[in-house]
Amino acid sequence: MVNQAADLIAALFQPDVPFEPATSKGRIKIAAPDLCIPLFSPLIAAVAQAAPAMTVELLTAPASIREAVLHSEADIGFVFGHPQDDPNLDIHTVSPLQWCTFARPSHPYARHPDTDTWAASAHIVVGKADMQQGPVETRAAAHDIIRTVRCHAPNFNAALTLAADCNALFTTLREPFEPLAQKLGLIACPLPFEMPNAPTAVIFRAAYGDPFQLWLRTLWRSVFKVGKH
């Protein structure tokens, strides 16, 4: 409630100047997990068209995305899960992200997406070799499936590129990476076991009539789409 009261008091002393996207300058700060940053490409393009003097800053490593939005360190936050309600936040649940395995069309798994082919194929994963196993390994192990990891990539874009160049498999969330995967000649294949979709939400600070915040929400709604497959 402290943040809410502070914003309301500040609004009383702000000059009554309308927000004009075509001429306004400043930064729009977006906080999101690294693998979800590609989802904001349409919004960045829309900002460039509607507000050409504004820039977009992508924040991928705040200690807490929720806190970054609450404390005005970010204008938009993208989070996994179901955020707790807060009077200082506008929370918008969006369609869950789906899992897939990216492969070349000529890869055996693209022709036969079965458990044996997936497990026997070379896989690329993101992160250091000594990191704890991720959700894919955990879910695969529950089905008594162990995959063969041949490469640990430093980031998701590198993993996709390596998958295309090395004819390996890369399993990740589909929606953020399918456009790049298609450019690299990869196709999205189903996993050979059930993998729950990843619930997501977009969060804003409560607008309280702020014309910039209201404009940003409208722009986001016009372009932001996930879980469309």
Side-chain angles (χ1 to χ4, degrees):
M1 298 300 293
V2 174
N3 290 338
Q4 179 180 0
D7 287 345
L8 288 171
I9 292 171
L12 294 175
F13 295 96
Q14 288 179 351
D16 187 17
V17 178
F19 173 72
E20 296 291 346
T23 56
S24 294
K25 300 179 180 180
R27 285 183 298 165
I28 298 172
K29 294 172 286 184
I30 301 172
D34 181 51
L35 77 167
C36 295
I37 286 298
L39 292 172
F40 287 91
S41 295
L43 179 61
I44 295 170
V47 170
Q49 183 174 4
M54 300 193 76
T55 59
V56 177
E57 181 178 357
L58 301 170
L59 311 173
T60 59
S64 168
I65 292 173
R66 179 190 180 93
E67 291 299 312
V69 175
L70 274 172
H71 294 98
S72 302
E73 297 166 4
D75 299 300
I76 305 175
F78 187 91
V79 296
F80 289 112
H82 303 283
Q84 183 179 359
D85 287 341
D86 188 310
N88 296 307
L89 293 175
D90 286 341
I91 300 172
H92 303 264
T93 300
V94 293
S95 300
L97 303 182
Q98 304 173 66
W99 291 87
C100 75
T101 293
F102 288 110
R104 283 184 181 177
S106 60
H107 192 283
Y109 186 72
R111 300 193 299 269
H112 304 287
D114 54 44
T115 299
D116 291 341
T117 306
W118 192 87
S121 299
H123 289 256
I124 295 173
V125 299
V126 175
K128 296 180 180 180
D130 57 357
M131 291 179 62
Q132 293 182 344
Q133 68 178 16
V136 175
E137 270 77 21
T138 300
R139 196 71 179 180
H143 291 80
D144 297 322
I145 302 171
I146 300 176
R147 63 176 170 176
T148 305
V149 177
R150 295 298 186 195
C151 177
H152 294 263
N155 57 60
F156 292 89
N157 288 346
L160 274 177
T161 302
L162 290 168
D165 291 343
C166 302
N167 199 26
L169 301 181
F170 177 47
T171 298
T172 187
L173 295 172
R174 177 174 181 167
E175 288 81 3
F177 300 108
E178 191 163 31
L180 176 58
Q182 291 176 346
K183 292 178 183 178
L184 294 171
L186 300 171
I187 61 173
C189 304
L191 274 67
F193 50 88
E194 183 181 357
M195 189 77 184
N197 293 340
T200 58
V202 173
I203 57 178
F204 299 87
R205 289 188 305 282
Y208 305 123
D210 182 337
F212 165 71
Q213 288 288 334
L214 295 173
W215 169 81
L216 186 58
R217 286 158 176 72
T218 300
L219 190 66
W220 164 74
R221 291 190 188 97
S222 71
V223 300
F224 195 86
K225 297 178 177 66
V226 298
K228 60 183 177 180
H229 299 285

